[in-house]
Amino acid sequence: MKIARETLQFIFEVCKSSAPREFAGMLSANGDVITEVIVVPGTESSDESAVMQLFMLPNIHTVGSVHSHPSGNTRPSDADLELFGRKGLVHIIVGAPYDRNSWTCYDKDGNPIKLEVVEYKFKDEDDLL
Ligand code: ZN
């Protein structure tokens, strides 16, 4: 699994603008590249409720989840771990200050995994040419 650089950048920005509240979303992929974030509306400030809402979404096709930890600690909570196991393969936690050095990706068992950041050509860009 990989993630498009622009998508990751978008994630950092929404995490930053949501702070000090927590941001949560689901990840959607094109092939093996994560290209889209489905934002969960009305995310509450507490970690547990944000992630809970995430997993109560209708069964849209997603490959994993992303949420922020304004504390800066990117370790999954017990509630996070329980939910990671339920849905999706990759789960990103972004901690403050929400940059390329402050995020960790986990598998469904909560083990840290490497998520390669790739350049991805979005369809919209083609249309503009
Ligand atoms: Zn969490």
Side-chain angles (χ1 to χ4, degrees):
M1 210 76 225
K2 303 164 190 171
I3 186 162
R5 187 180 303 279
E6 280 178 55
T7 305
L8 189 60
Q9 197 58 46
F10 170 77
I11 289 170
F12 295 154
E13 268 153 40
V14 284
C15 287
K16 229 178 261 176
S17 62
S18 304
R21 285 163 47 121
E22 183 168 327
F23 164 77
M26 297 301 287
L27 302 170
S28 178
N30 199 339
D32 65 347
V33 182
I34 294 164
T35 54
E36 218 183 315
V37 183
I38 297 148
V39 178
V40 181
T43 300
E44 298 293 331
S45 55
S46 96
D47 176 43
E48 209 165 321
S49 58
V51 183
M52 284 297 276
Q53 284 187 46
L54 195 69
F55 285 86
M56 281 165 60
L57 282 177
N59 210 6
I60 39 175
H61 183 72
T62 55
V63 294
S65 71
V66 56
H67 73 281
S68 66
H69 279 182
S71 66
N73 181 346
T74 60
R75 284 175 52 132
S77 66
D78 289 345
D80 290 343
L81 287 174
E82 195 203 317
L83 292 160
F84 287 180
R86 262 191 230 175
K87 197 171 176 180
L89 302 169
V90 292
H91 301 280
I92 298 174
I93 297 179
V94 191
Y98 317 111
D99 63 25
R100 72 178 77 171
N101 299 314
S102 65
W103 63 287
T104 312
C105 186
Y106 298 92
D107 68 10
K108 64 180 180 58
D109 300 313
N111 301 309
I113 53 170
K114 189 176 155 39
L115 188 64
E116 196 188 338
V117 181
V118 295
E119 302 302 334
Y120 179 84
K121 205 160 167 29
F122 286 84
K123 256 214 176 78
D124 293 353
E125 292 172 26
D126 282 338
D127 295 344
L128 292 172
L129 295 175

